[in-house]
């Protein structure tokens, strides 16, 4: 049976051709691969697509929604905004969702390439929620579709997750430790961040022979890893050969002080520990033109008593104070006081100078011993995939899943990106640019995506951990207000450089300053949140810096 098919050329030698539904064998989908010979003839190959879900048809009857009471989120078969393409939609906010699809055959993760791919779109944005897939082990491991929940055992968890300081595309593998026979979660280190927009994105994980892993977003490789490398997974698949001896204890006479006070040092006889740090400058003279009889502030001559002011209820009205304009042209107003200066006799508390500690033995650490749990591993023994599940908790609605695919060839996944994802993405990106340009921000769209991806990577730098909340708040404000993107970037860079130079050069102590104390605001729940706390502080600063105005007296 002949059928017209559309060839998609991947490079000069290979094309992929999707066969229409009318010519595919029942229960599977075939992708035909065509290679051109030098003489112009062609070779035909066909490769089986293991699983593909387009959600063109309603999911009911094909996917199983969990019966667990806590998973009360409603799944819907809905169109992607602006398209005629259907997907699986998270329809309500602040809900837990769970749905699963059993595969007709097991997918082994042994000696051949396995490609996991799916699309997701955060139509309402994604501030707090997951949009990842779980690739489940066979039901013999202890789960059923109707009871699918967070405890259902999976082999791989893959996809975007974002909430608070978490902003990553997870890749987690549950692997059975061959010695303890317990399953351990191994997390990909430094995973890519989640795109911060409302466009459709396609996530691809390619598990290749020789323990290789590739994570792609929109067809671009974002992370390369090796399953057996301790630098790529936490905890590592292979335990360390040696570990610190848990029974080893530091000797009581072990001295870790590199420097000690000189025991032979004696405080000099002329050392005055009670001398003040500052003294009055007896040589100072009052500047010429100082206005002794002028106050620093005067009543505002333009202020008038409000018409509704009641002296009996409100008390005697007093005009608000303003800076005395006569002081602007003079060196100062009011009573002149002799300034303070540094006391040349000040030496502070005497301390014996430090010398090298002759008993210093270094920083103690327990001796290493052979790790009893160590084992060799040439290749992880991954459990097969028997089902695909979506089990998430999210504060967002509008999350749309589509075009879930499992294949044995990266080229097949690439062909589906070209035919199912890219056309949608191009339309959405064009519409987004038009919307942004209407608001005068079109030129920032592409820049913003790259900027925020960079900022979230900066946030995860280990030595910035103490400042992560502050940096994260800045990024969140920038995403909510796109016109602040450049300002946020500059702010984060300033914070980064400040901390960096402090670590290298150390901080200098500033002389003590006496300032007027600000009133302490009462704590509230709003004060503990990012954006509201920032606005409250701005209000406090504005109120404390404004001219004092005495309107009512108690």
């Amino acid at each position: 049976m002949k059928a017209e098919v559309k060839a998609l050329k991947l490079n000069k030698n290979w094309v992929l051709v999707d066969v229409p539904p009318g010519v595919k064998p029942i229960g599977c989908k075939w992708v035909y691969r065509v290679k051109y010979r030098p003489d112009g003839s062609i070779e035909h190959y066909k490769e089986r697509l293991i699983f593909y879900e387009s959600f063109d048809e309603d999911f009911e009857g094909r996917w199983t929604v969990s019966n667990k009471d806590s998973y009360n989120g409603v799944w819907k078969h809905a169109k992607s905004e602006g398209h005629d393409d259907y997907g699986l939609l998270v329809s309500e906010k602040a809900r837990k969702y769970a749905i699963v699809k059993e595969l007709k055959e097991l997918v082994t993760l042994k000696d051949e390439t396995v490609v996991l791919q799916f699309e997701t779109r955060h139509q309402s944005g994604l501030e707090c929620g997951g949009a990842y897939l779980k690739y489940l082990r066979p039901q013999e491991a202890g789960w059923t579709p109707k009871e699918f929940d967070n405890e259902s055992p999976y082999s791989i968890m893959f996809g975007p997750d974002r909430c608070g300081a978490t902003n990553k595309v997870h890749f987690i593998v549950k692997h059975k430790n061959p010695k303890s026979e317990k399953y351990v979660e191994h997390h990909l280190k430094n995973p890519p961040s989640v795109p911060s927009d409302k466009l459709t994105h396609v996530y691809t994980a390619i598990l290749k022979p020789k323990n290789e892993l590739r994570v792609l977003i929109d067809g671009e490789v974002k992370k390369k890893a090796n399953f057996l490398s301790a630098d790529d997974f936490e905890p590592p698949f292979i335990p360390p050969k040696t570990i610190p001896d848990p029974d080893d204890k530091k000797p009581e006479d072990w001295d870790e002080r590199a420097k000690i006070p000189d025991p032979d040092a004696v405080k000099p006889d002329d050392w005055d520990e009670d001398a003040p740090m500052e003294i009055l400058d007896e040589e100072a003279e009052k500047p010429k033109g100082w206005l002794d009889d002028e106050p620093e502030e005067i009543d505002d001559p333009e202020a008038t008593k409000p018409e509704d002011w009641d002296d009996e209820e409100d008390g005697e009205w007093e005009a608000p104070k303003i800076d005395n304009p006569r002081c602007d042209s003079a060196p100062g107003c009011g009573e002149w006081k002799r300034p303070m200066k540094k006391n040349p006799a000040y030496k502070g508390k005497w301390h014996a100078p430090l010398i090298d500690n002759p008993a210093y033995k270094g920083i103690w650490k327990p001796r290493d011993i052979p790790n009893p749990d160590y084992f060799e591993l040439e290749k992880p023994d991954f459990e097969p995939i028997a089902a695909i599940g979506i089990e998430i908790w999210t504060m967002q609605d509008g999350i749309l899943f589509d075009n879930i695919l499992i294949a044995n060839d990266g080229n097949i996944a690439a062909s589906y990106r070209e035919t199912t994802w890219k056309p949608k993405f191009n339309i959405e990106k064009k519409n987004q640019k038009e919307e942004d340009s209407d608001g005068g921000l079109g030129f920032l769209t592409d820049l913003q995506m790259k900027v925020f991806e960079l900022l979230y990577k900066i946030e995860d730098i280990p030595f910035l951990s103490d400042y992560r909340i502050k940096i994260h708040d800045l990024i969140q404000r920038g995403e909510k207000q796109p016109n602040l993107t450049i300002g946020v970037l500059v702010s984060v860079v300033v914070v980064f450089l400040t901390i960096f130079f402090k670590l290298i050069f150390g901080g200098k102590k500033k002389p003590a300053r006496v300032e007027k104390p600000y009133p302490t605001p009462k704590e509230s729940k709003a004060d503990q949140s990012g954006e509201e706390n920032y606005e409250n502080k701005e209000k406090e600063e504005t109120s404390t810096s404004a001219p004092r105005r005495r309107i009512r007296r108690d």
Side-chain angles (χ1 to χ4, degrees):
M1 174 180 178
K2 286 191 175 182
E4 292 193 7
V5 294
K6 183 178 180 181
L8 175 66
K9 191 165 185 178
L10 298 178
N11 55 46
K12 63 181 181 180
N13 291 325
W14 295 91
V15 296
L16 291 180
V17 181
D18 278 345
V19 179
V23 297
K24 71 177 182 179
I26 296 175
C28 60
K29 186 178 179 72
W30 296 86
V31 175
Y32 281 77
R33 203 162 62 169
V34 182
K35 184 176 182 180
Y36 294 93
R37 299 191 184 99
D39 60 2
S41 61
I42 59 175
E43 296 179 9
H44 295 267
Y45 299 89
K46 63 180 180 180
E47 292 183 344
R48 187 163 56 87
L49 189 62
I50 300 172
F51 175 80
Y52 177 65
E53 174 60 84
S54 66
F55 293 106
D56 290 339
E57 300 175 358
D58 198 334
F59 64 88
E60 291 187 9
R62 298 184 299 109
W63 288 68
T64 303
V65 178
S66 175
N67 284 341
K68 287 290 187 75
D69 292 338
S70 59
Y71 293 93
N72 54 1
V74 177
W75 295 99
K76 288 187 177 180
H77 182 239
K79 288 183 179 181
S80 179
E81 292 181 4
H83 304 290
D84 289 328
D85 185 44
Y86 282 88
L88 181 64
L89 180 69
V90 170
S91 65
E92 299 175 298
K93 298 179 179 180
R95 293 286 189 272
K96 292 176 73 175
Y97 292 80
I99 191 170
V100 66
K101 170 67 176 178
E102 298 178 73
L103 303 181
K104 294 184 177 180
E105 60 180 289
L106 293 180
V107 179
T108 59
L109 304 172
K110 297 287 186 180
D111 302 319
E112 58 183 355
T113 296
V114 175
V115 184
L116 311 174
Q117 181 169 288
F118 69 98
E119 297 173 15
T120 183
R121 184 182 185 188
H122 308 140
Q123 297 177 139
S124 303
L126 185 63
E127 294 181 11
C128 189
Y132 43 78
L133 269 55
K134 290 184 175 181
Y135 299 86
L136 301 164
R137 290 160 52 193
Q139 293 183 39
E140 289 78 5
W143 70 279
T144 61
K146 288 289 186 181
E147 300 293 313
F148 174 51
D149 62 9
N150 184 52
E151 300 300 321
S152 299
Y154 63 84
S155 290
I156 294 173
M157 181 175 131
F158 172 54
D161 186 18
R162 185 175 180 185
C163 193
T166 299
N167 179 34
K168 63 180 71 175
V169 178
H170 287 291
F171 187 89
I172 305 172
V173 180
K174 276 195 175 181
H175 181 253
K176 188 176 182 179
N177 184 304
K179 260 200 165 178
S180 67
E181 296 190 347
K182 294 181 180 180
Y183 286 90
V184 179
E185 282 189 3
H186 300 274
H187 294 244
L188 179 66
K189 286 184 178 181
N190 302 315
S193 56
V194 182
S196 55
D197 56 41
K198 299 179 181 180
L199 310 180
T200 300
H201 294 281
V202 57
Y203 298 88
T204 310
I206 305 177
L207 291 75
K208 305 180 72 174
K210 298 183 179 178
N211 303 311
E212 295 179 25
L213 171 68
R214 299 286 185 275
V215 175
L216 295 74
I217 302 178
D218 299 344
E220 181 182 350
V221 177
K222 296 291 186 179
K223 180 72 176 180
K224 296 180 181 180
N226 187 295
F227 286 111
L228 299 188
S229 171
D231 295 331
D232 292 335
F233 282 89
E234 178 62 37
F237 282 82
I238 301 176
K241 286 186 176 182
T242 61
I243 59 171
D245 184 355
D247 298 323
D248 193 14
K249 296 182 179 180
K250 183 171 68 174
E252 293 182 1
D253 61 346
W254 191 279
D255 196 337
E256 294 183 333
R257 299 173 300 165
K259 298 281 186 179
I260 60 171
D262 185 354
D264 298 325
V266 179
K267 183 175 70 172
D269 294 335
D270 61 347
W271 192 287
D272 185 359
E273 292 185 334
D274 299 323
M277 184 182 295
E278 291 184 328
I279 57 175
L280 286 174
D281 186 358
E282 300 293 345
E283 298 178 357
E285 296 181 358
K286 182 169 65 175
K288 291 182 179 180
W290 189 279
L291 305 178
D292 297 89
D293 299 327
E294 288 289 341
E296 294 182 5
E297 292 182 335
I298 61 172
D299 291 341
D300 185 352
E302 297 181 1
T304 57
K305 180 179 178 180
E307 294 180 0
D308 60 348
W309 190 276
D310 189 325
D311 289 337
E312 293 184 0
E313 292 185 5
D314 302 327
E316 182 183 354
W317 181 81
E318 297 178 5
K321 296 290 186 178
I322 63 171
D323 291 337
N324 189 343
R326 295 183 181 179
C327 298
D328 292 341
S329 57
C333 288
E335 180 186 359
W336 181 80
K337 294 182 180 180
R338 193 175 299 280
M340 303 294 286
K341 70 174 184 178
K342 186 177 179 180
N343 183 3
Y346 172 75
K347 294 185 178 180
K349 188 74 175 176
W350 181 85
H351 297 280
L354 296 177
I355 62 171
D356 292 335
N357 182 4
Y360 176 67
K361 294 184 178 181
I363 303 300
W364 183 87
K365 64 177 182 177
R367 64 176 179 270
D368 286 337
I369 60 172
N371 184 359
D373 297 323
Y374 174 76
F375 56 83
E376 296 283 352
L377 189 66
E378 292 185 3
K379 185 177 180 63
D381 186 17
F382 295 132
E383 297 287 339
I385 297 171
I388 297 175
I390 306 174
E391 186 276 319
I392 57 175
W393 172 88
T394 177
M395 296 300 293
Q396 314 295 142
D397 60 354
I399 301 175
L400 191 80
F401 295 88
D402 199 6
N403 295 313
I404 301 173
L405 173 149
I406 302 178
N408 287 130
D409 192 317
N411 286 330
I412 296 176
S415 72
Y416 277 85
R417 290 195 297 269
E418 287 290 327
T419 57
T420 64
W421 165 75
K422 197 168 186 178
K424 288 188 294 186
F425 179 78
N426 288 340
I427 292 172
E428 292 163 8
K429 194 171 183 180
K430 179 181 177 182
N431 292 340
Q432 184 66 54
K433 283 186 175 180
E434 290 175 355
E435 291 177 8
D436 291 341
S437 61
D438 289 341
L441 298 171
F443 72 98
L444 284 176
T445 306
D446 292 335
L447 173 63
Q448 285 170 343
M449 290 176 61
K450 294 179 180 178
V451 165
F452 286 115
E453 285 185 18
L454 172 63
L455 293 178
Y456 278 114
K457 289 180 180 178
I458 291 176
E459 177 190 347
D460 287 333
I461 295 175
F463 76 80
L464 295 177
S465 58
D466 292 341
Y467 305 86
R468 184 167 294 164
I469 294 177
K470 180 177 181 180
I471 295 173
H472 186 78
D473 286 344
L474 283 171
I475 298 172
Q476 289 287 310
R477 286 177 61 79
E479 286 189 308
K480 291 179 181 179
Q481 304 178 53
N483 58 316
L484 297 180
T485 299
I486 301 301
V488 170
L489 176 60
V490 172
S491 299
V492 173
V493 170
V494 169
V495 171
F496 177 84
L497 292 177
T498 301
I499 299 167
F500 180 74
F501 284 115
K502 272 188 177 181
L503 290 174
I504 293 179
F505 301 110
K508 292 184 178 179
K509 292 184 178 179
K510 295 182 178 180
R513 275 176 53 186
V514 179
E515 298 181 350
K516 294 180 180 180
Y518 285 178
T520 303
K522 294 182 180 179
E523 275 194 37
S524 67
K525 291 183 179 179
D527 291 333
Q528 297 171 7
S529 66
E531 184 175 357
E532 294 176 8
N533 187 39
Y534 186 92
E535 292 174 354
N536 289 341
K537 287 182 179 178
E538 287 184 329
K539 291 176 182 177
E540 291 165 18
E541 290 171 2
T542 303
S543 64
T544 53
S545 60
R548 292 175 294 173
R549 177 170 183 169
R550 293 172 292 174
I551 297 178
R552 299 171 183 256
R553 293 190 304 179
D554 296 332

